Amino acid sequence: MNSVITVSGLCKSFGDTVVLDNVDLDVTAGEIFALLGPNGAGKTTMVRILSTLISADSGRARVAGHDVVTEADQVRAAIGVTGQFSAVDNLLTGAENLQLMADLRHLGRRAGRQRVAELLDQFDLTAAADKPLSTYSGGMRRRLDLAMTLVGNPRVIFLDEPTTGLDPRSRRTMWAIIGELAASGVTIFLTTQYLDEADHLAGRVAVLDRGRVVAAGTPAELKRRIPGGHITLHFSDPQVLQAAAEIIPAAAADHDQLALQVPGNGTVAAVRRLLDELDTARIEVEHLSIHTPDLDDVFFAVTGHAAETPEKVLQP
């Protein structure tokens, strides 16, 4: 396994507050790895340590083959970081922001102009290249922010809450870009409060709670560990609901909604057996829905509460 990010026994406190408590992580080349957790769990602190912005109290971390403490310059040369808030300069145009990054990366005049043109095209910003940032929408600003991160062709990108505050269409655009980056071989370390985002993008996820990793694996693996799958049957008449409840004793009836919730994994075989049983009893179901555990269920199971909404989140 080709590990690009390795974290071993990492600890970090701010005063008496323990933010990271003996954390171990391993991220392989070319994967999208999502770090989830409630408000204050330590996600942003982890990104800051791995990107050499702050130091850990103890433990070790390596990024792109380099120690984040003793080889910080080599780490910085290999990574790109997009934070929770856009780092663009509002006094410059989109092209000028990118050219500034190219100059800071010492790309040279010709190579810099070429890289700027490539990124403007890749992020669909060519038409707005010479416009002031005041005319950019939130989605355009985030795309520009990510484009600036890519000026130096980093091997590893840290995305800290990259789509917070974006409208659904802009989020989907960012998802497509992130997926394309990973497909090209770039390793993505993502923190997010949107659990559907992690489910859609990440090959593996880890959940931080009170500074510790409380669950890790692929989204599918984590969802399989969580009970709670069920089939909900809806009926048109209270008497039909009652008759169905009598022949399925494990089900829970909702008399207000005329619904019956039956524990089950939602497989075709399970649904067929259930409907056959009702059909034999001459009980007609108006319609049904199937619920299988999702990352929200996983999050609740391992942390004891639901995820915060992104608009309310301020992390250390």
Side-chain angles (χ1 to χ4, degrees):
M1 183 171 59
N2 185 13
S3 296
V4 174
I5 300 172
T6 57
V7 175
S8 177
L10 210 64
C11 297
K12 180 66 179 179
S13 298
F14 294 100
D16 295 330
T17 302
V18 177
V19 180
L20 298 174
D21 186 7
N22 198 37
V23 173
D24 296 332
L25 292 174
D26 187 273
V27 181
T28 59
E31 79 167 321
I32 301 177
F33 182 92
L35 188 63
L36 311 177
N39 181 20
K43 301 185 297 297
T44 296
T45 298
M46 176 64 74
V47 170
R48 289 175 177 171
I49 291 172
L50 294 178
S51 58
T52 77
L53 295 177
I54 62 174
S55 60
D57 298 333
S58 60
R60 296 192 64 184
R62 297 180 68 83
V63 176
H66 302 289
D67 187 280
V68 298
V69 176
T70 62
E71 301 174 291
D73 287 343
Q74 291 93 323
V75 171
R76 294 181 195 122
I79 68 172
V81 182
T82 297
Q84 295 181 25
F85 306 101
S86 293
V88 296
D89 189 326
N90 291 317
L91 299 179
L92 302 177
T93 66
E96 288 170 341
N97 269 281
L98 287 168
Q99 188 61 56
L100 175 61
M101 291 302 298
D103 293 342
L104 291 173
R105 286 285 187 174
H106 306 291
L107 295 188
R109 180 169 297 181
R110 177 176 295 181
R113 285 201 301 264
Q114 182 178 347
R115 186 62 178 146
V116 167
E118 291 171 352
L119 290 168
L120 287 170
D121 180 64
Q122 179 182 352
F123 286 83
D124 195 23
L125 292 170
T126 302
D130 297 321
K131 295 181 179 179
L133 267 293
S134 60
T135 67
Y136 280 39
S137 66
M140 292 170 66
R141 293 170 71 91
R142 291 305 277 168
R143 296 205 309 275
L144 177 62
D145 198 28
L146 182 52
M148 291 170 65
T149 300
L150 296 175
V151 166
N153 288 305
R155 294 169 52 196
V156 182
I157 298 177
F158 294 97
L159 300 179
D160 192 16
E161 310 280 357
T163 64
T164 296
L166 296 185
D167 61 82
R169 183 176 181 180
S170 295
R171 286 181 66 210
R172 291 282 177 175
T173 300
M174 287 292 287
W175 288 5
I177 292 170
I178 292 168
E180 290 169 2
L181 289 172
S184 71
V186 177
T187 303
I188 309 289
F189 189 101
L190 168 73
T191 75
T192 180
Q193 286 287 341
Y194 294 112
L195 300 186
D196 64 324
E197 182 164 272
D199 204 356
H200 179 82
L201 290 174
R204 290 188 303 131
V205 302
V207 182
L208 272 180
D209 190 37
R210 297 180 178 87
R212 289 181 172 270
V213 176
V214 294
T218 68
E221 287 170 347
L222 294 182
K223 288 183 281 189
R224 282 197 298 267
R225 299 176 194 172
I226 304 301
H230 60 263
I231 302 165
T232 302
L233 307 172
H234 297 268
F235 303 91
S236 59
D237 184 272
Q239 293 182 337
V240 179
L241 168 63
Q242 184 59 39
E246 289 174 358
I247 68 169
I248 310 173
D254 183 336
H255 295 280
D256 292 331
Q257 298 296 322
L258 295 180
L260 199 64
Q261 190 176 104
V262 184
N265 55 17
T267 63
V268 172
V271 174
R272 182 181 293 117
R273 285 195 300 269
L274 178 61
L275 294 179
D276 285 346
E277 186 176 1
L278 293 170
D279 187 56
T280 300
R282 299 181 182 276
I283 295 173
E284 186 173 344
V285 179
E286 189 170 51
H287 65 272
L288 64 82
S289 58
I290 299 172
H291 174 81
T292 55
D294 54 24
L295 282 186
D296 291 273
D297 297 311
V298 173
F299 195 98
F300 185 86
V302 300
T303 68
H305 52 82
E308 299 282 345
T309 56
E311 290 74 16
K312 298 180 180 178
V313 172
L314 291 174
Q315 299 193 75

